[in-house]
Amino acid sequence: MFTLSGVLMYLMRGGRYGPTGAALGRRHTHTTLNRGGTLVAMVKRIIPPLTCDLHKGQAGRVGVIGGCDEYTGAPYFAAISALRLGADMSHIYCTQGSSTAIKSYSPELIVHPILDSHSAVADISQCLERLHSLVVGPGLGREPQLLYNVKGIITKAKEMKIPMVIDADGLFLVTKEPDLIRNYKKAILTPNIAEFGRLFEAVLGQKPDPMEVVDNVSRLSRALGNVTIVQKGENDIISDGTNVLVCCAEGSCRRCGGQGDLLSGSMGTFLHWAYLAVDSNIECQSFATYGPTVSAAYAACLLARECNRLAFRKHGRSTTTSDMVDALPLAFEQLFD
């Protein structure tokens, strides 16, 4: 596990761990500590204002691809986090057997029990044109038919240039078939330490160097054609192969299941907002530097950590992801309002 002191040592030594390495020439490497105020200001610029002339859907229609008989909580947490952040509509495309449980968690979510059907790719492809972003993988599982269907959905979404976040078993699929996402720069991959190691080895043919934790993320991003990667951990390392942001904001020591789903779901909303900002030609030098995927990833990491911190302050060791979702409105207010 990389520590904050280790990340700062990396920055002090020109972008590499160890006393002998030369800097790799990345244009920008910043952390929450040395550019925190500037980065928060950047996030505020990409959040669309709430105005009375908006209609339903403009703030975001997010689709979550996942949910199987074993895992019904993960797609719920991703979809409800996207919604609580400020998306107008959250859709979940799940298996028939998981749909009733997921529907019972919240009436706010739109649940489509078609992911395990033989016509899933065709059926979901018809829905894609109405979605602004996808979150692929929460609660997906590894059943071959599901993975085959999701491969087709990702391929179709790429053709339609839909931004997407890939997490959990979606990363399992990408690790098996890296070309599925290679060179698609509207994607964000969100591996934890173990998932990152497997993906790194599959793409680069070697294990990541434990003394080069920041450089590892940039190397993998470049090998995948500058796809943005968020390596989750004690500090979240974000890179598109050129730029690096390290989110080391305070969170807590609590590591209950579902936190990554909160992160991926909120990232789906931020990703849509970031591309809205591109279309609106907002004036923000930091956003112009980092681009929509890195900016959205940083925003979601910062928010998830603040949700974690607030929930832990209230509930301590018994904190669950549901507590963190409940903390999301206050976390957003304290960070960005």
Side-chain angles (χ1 to χ4, degrees), residues 132-155:
H132 294 117
S133 64
L134 291 179
V135 180
V136 181
L140 175 61
R142 300 181 180 181
E143 197 274 322
Q145 182 65 47
L146 290 180
L147 295 177
Y148 177 82
N149 289 348
V150 170
K151 178 181 176 180
I153 293 163
I154 290 175
T155 300

Side-chain angles (χ1 to χ4, degrees), residues 222-301:
R222 289 193 296 272
L224 286 170
N226 295 93
V227 172
T228 295
I229 296 174
V230 181
Q231 183 183 353
K232 301 178 291 190
E234 184 177 350
N235 305 293
D236 300 320
I237 301 176
I238 306 161
S239 180
D240 61 359
T242 300
N243 301 302
V244 176
L245 288 179
V246 182
C247 186
C248 44
E250 182 183 357
S252 81
C253 296
R254 182 71 169 129
R255 296 290 183 270
C256 58
Q259 294 180 73
D261 305 308
L262 185 157
L263 175 68
S264 63
S266 59
M267 199 176 293
T269 297
F270 274 123
L271 191 55
H272 166 54
W273 290 351
Y275 276 101
L276 276 182
V278 171
D279 294 340
S280 301
N281 295 311
I282 66 164
E283 295 183 5
C284 178
Q285 183 56 51
S286 294
F287 184 67
T289 296
Y290 295 115
T293 53
V294 172
S295 300
Y298 182 83
C301 289

Side-chain angles (χ1 to χ4, degrees), residues 2-337:
F2 46 92
T3 63
L4 177 55
S5 61
V7 170
L8 295 177
M9 182 73 71
Y10 166 91
L11 295 172
M12 292 170 62
R13 286 177 170 160
R16 293 179 67 92
Y17 282 99
T20 61
L24 291 176
R26 278 181 300 277
R27 294 185 302 170
H28 301 277
T29 302
H30 294 125
T31 77
T32 305
L33 295 184
N34 67 4
R35 286 289 296 278
T38 301
L39 296 174
V40 169
M42 173 187 72
V43 176
K44 289 181 178 180
R45 293 287 288 126
I46 69 175
I47 297 170
L50 284 174
T51 60
C52 293
D53 61 344
L54 292 173
H55 60 75
K56 182 175 67 177
Q58 284 184 289
R61 296 185 294 271
V62 179
V64 176
I65 309 296
C68 64
D69 292 4
E70 289 179 277
Y71 305 115
T72 60
Y76 161 76
F77 284 129
I80 201 66
S81 297
L83 194 67
R84 294 293 296 272
L85 174 57
D88 288 336
M89 304 174 75
S90 272
H91 295 258
I92 298 176
Y93 298 89
C94 62
T95 64
Q96 177 73 43
S98 65
S99 62
T100 300
I102 296 172
K103 288 179 180 180
S104 74
Y105 299 149
S106 172
E108 311 287 351
L109 306 178
I110 304 168
V111 181
H112 308 264
I114 58 177
L115 188 57
D116 53 348
S117 72
H118 290 289
S119 60
V121 176
D123 294 341
I124 295 174
S125 293
Q126 293 179 11
C127 304
L128 291 179
E129 64 182 18
R130 299 193 294 273
L131 300 177
H132 294 117
S133 64
L134 291 179
V135 180
V136 181
L140 175 61
R142 300 181 180 181
E143 197 274 322
Q145 182 65 47
L146 290 180
L147 295 177
Y148 177 82
N149 289 348
V150 170
K151 178 181 176 180
I153 293 163
I154 290 175
T155 300
K156 185 63 176 180
K158 286 166 53 184
E159 292 174 4
M160 300 175 68
K161 296 180 170 56
I162 298 174
M164 66 181 78
V165 180
I166 301 182
D167 188 33
D169 283 324
L171 293 170
F172 174 79
L173 177 59
V174 171
T175 299
K176 291 179 61 178
E177 301 189 43
D179 286 344
L180 182 60
I181 207 67
R182 198 185 303 272
N183 298 318
Y184 190 62
K185 296 179 182 178
K186 286 191 171 185
I188 304 174
L189 310 183
T190 58
N192 59 28
I193 300 297
E195 292 165 338
F196 180 86
R198 291 190 289 268
L199 182 58
F200 190 97
E201 191 167 2
V203 173
L204 291 165
Q206 63 187 94
K207 295 183 182 298
D209 186 341
M211 297 301 293
E212 301 279 0
V213 293
V214 179
D215 182 45
N216 289 336
V217 182
S218 292
R219 284 186 63 197
L220 181 56
S221 173
R222 289 193 296 272
L224 286 170
N226 295 93
V227 172
T228 295
I229 296 174
V230 181
Q231 183 183 353
K232 301 178 291 190
E234 184 177 350
N235 305 293
D236 300 320
I237 301 176
I238 306 161
S239 180
D240 61 359
T242 300
N243 301 302
V244 176
L245 288 179
V246 182
C247 186
C248 44
E250 182 183 357
S252 81
C253 296
R254 182 71 169 129
R255 296 290 183 270
C256 58
Q259 294 180 73
D261 305 308
L262 185 157
L263 175 68
S264 63
S266 59
M267 199 176 293
T269 297
F270 274 123
L271 191 55
H272 166 54
W273 290 351
Y275 276 101
L276 276 182
V278 171
D279 294 340
S280 301
N281 295 311
I282 66 164
E283 295 183 5
C284 178
Q285 183 56 51
S286 294
F287 184 67
T289 296
Y290 295 115
T293 53
V294 172
S295 300
Y298 182 83
C301 289
L302 193 62
L303 179 69
R305 286 170 173 270
E306 182 67 2
C307 290
N308 188 297
R309 186 187 71 83
L310 291 172
F312 187 79
R313 186 175 66 182
K314 182 175 181 180
H315 300 284
R317 189 180 291 270
S318 66
T319 301
T320 65
T321 298
S322 293
D323 299 321
M324 296 177 203
V325 172
D326 288 342
L328 199 155
L330 179 58
F332 183 91
E333 178 183 349
Q334 294 188 168
L335 287 171
F336 306 128
D337 278 351

